[in-house]
Amino acid sequence: MVQTTIQAPPRRTRTATPGQQIPWRQAGLRMAVIFFILQMLNEVGTLMAIPLYGSMAASLQLTPGQTAWALMSTTLMGAATITILAKAGDVFGHRRLMFISLVGITLGYVISALAPSFLVLVIGRALVGIMAGQALCVGIMNDRLTPENRRKTVAVIAGGQAIGVFLGFAFGGALLAMGGDWRDAFWIGAVLTIISAIGFYFYGLDSDALHRRYESKLKGATERLDIIGVAIMGIGLLLLCIGISQSTVWGVFSALTIGYLVAGSAALVSVVCGILIKHRKPITTIAAH
């Protein structure tokens, strides 16, 4: 007789047992501070290179249109990936996906800093746009904090984002005034992301996603990532971002702008009316807590 065993999941998810909500005055506040630092450093690293785009365009001999695409690629990549990474966190673990995102962002900074041409620069800037950090943080907060403490943490994260925007432009301007190079800004961004990853490794908790996946397997259910749905949603968001961002170039009521906006809207409507209705598991879970 062949005996099969099912490996039990880890009892603890980085200092927290499944289902445990941590007290605010101890680990809860620390979690909020870690998420605050993550968001702030991400904004600083992303925005401090913007004041140096003039020297970057001159160094790589970019046209105004190419410079705009180098700037927009970060936002477009974020719009296209945030949904799939957020849902992947529900399936494979938010902590794990957070590290994958941070690795991708760091790689993007390194590629941007070493970019010898426009194409390589756009690839690097697009990788920097993997901005699923907030969505993954929310997934962790839903399992680890009470509703009241979640609201506090969201406010703290928003504060980190606001401060990061200010510091990003300020540091970029200071770097420009000191004669710094645009490549220096990208290297600094890579270092800041690595610091964020180290801080999250030691102090960032995980959600119960892996534990829920294990329990679903025991019940015979399977948690699947709706690739078709997230792909359509990502394409829809991408088309909308391109249409909106390029409307000043193509014309607000030009056929090209309207075509992108209509196609993007149609893609999102198809997701809402079709895929989310047919599948038992939505692409993203939207619930009041």
Side-chain angles (χ1 to χ4, degrees), residues 261-281:
L261 296 179
V262 170
S265 300
L268 296 181
V269 169
S270 69
V271 171
V272 175
C273 297
I275 297 176
L276 289 181
I277 295 176
K278 294 179 181 178
H279 288 269
R280 295 175 57 188
K281 295 292 183 179

Side-chain angles (χ1 to χ4, degrees), residues 56-136:
M56 180 186 68
S59 176
L60 297 180
Q61 298 180 346
L62 303 179
T63 65
Q66 289 175 327
T67 304
W69 275 108
L71 180 62
M72 291 190 303
S73 58
T74 302
T75 304
L76 296 178
M77 184 66 169
T81 60
I82 187 170
T83 305
I84 188 170
L85 289 176
K87 181 57 181 178
D90 294 336
V91 178
F92 303 110
H94 296 86
R95 180 181 171 86
R96 179 182 301 173
L97 265 294
M98 178 70 80
F99 281 115
I100 292 176
S101 298
L102 292 174
V103 169
I105 293 172
T106 303
L107 181 61
Y109 279 124
V110 172
I111 293 175
S112 300
L114 299 174
S117 63
F118 167 69
L119 179 59
V120 177
L121 177 66
V122 169
I123 293 174
R125 295 300 291 157
L127 285 174
V128 174
I130 302 176
M131 297 181 293
Q134 286 185 339
L136 296 172

Side-chain angles (χ1 to χ4, degrees), residues 33-222:
V33 171
I34 289 298
F35 290 162
F36 170 90
I37 295 174
L38 278 171
Q39 188 62 42
M40 182 182 67
L41 293 183
N42 179 64
E43 294 294 337
V44 171
T46 302
L47 298 176
M48 71 178 302
I50 294 179
L52 298 161
Y53 265 44
S55 61
M56 180 186 68
S59 176
L60 297 180
Q61 298 180 346
L62 303 179
T63 65
Q66 289 175 327
T67 304
W69 275 108
L71 180 62
M72 291 190 303
S73 58
T74 302
T75 304
L76 296 178
M77 184 66 169
T81 60
I82 187 170
T83 305
I84 188 170
L85 289 176
K87 181 57 181 178
D90 294 336
V91 178
F92 303 110
H94 296 86
R95 180 181 171 86
R96 179 182 301 173
L97 265 294
M98 178 70 80
F99 281 115
I100 292 176
S101 298
L102 292 174
V103 169
I105 293 172
T106 303
L107 181 61
Y109 279 124
V110 172
I111 293 175
S112 300
L114 299 174
S117 63
F118 167 69
L119 179 59
V120 177
L121 177 66
V122 169
I123 293 174
R125 295 300 291 157
L127 285 174
V128 174
I130 302 176
M131 297 181 293
Q134 286 185 339
L136 296 172
C137 289
V138 170
I140 296 174
M141 289 190 300
N142 286 340
D143 289 335
R144 293 289 162 258
L145 299 175
T146 63
E148 179 182 358
N149 291 339
R150 284 198 293 270
R151 288 191 289 270
K152 295 179 184 178
T153 305
V154 169
V156 171
I157 294 175
Q161 184 175 15
I163 294 174
V165 170
F166 170 77
L167 293 179
F169 284 112
F171 289 162
L175 188 61
L176 179 63
M178 292 186 296
D181 187 63
W182 58 274
R183 298 183 189 272
D184 297 332
F186 291 138
W187 285 119
I188 294 174
V191 172
L192 293 178
T193 306
I194 293 173
I195 293 174
S196 301
I198 294 174
F200 186 75
Y201 176 79
F202 285 105
Y203 301 107
L205 302 180
D206 199 359
S207 65
D208 293 336
L210 294 178
H211 183 76
R212 287 191 292 268
R213 185 183 183 192
Y214 169 77
E215 290 184 337
S216 297
K217 287 184 177 180
L218 291 181
K219 297 176 182 178
T222 57

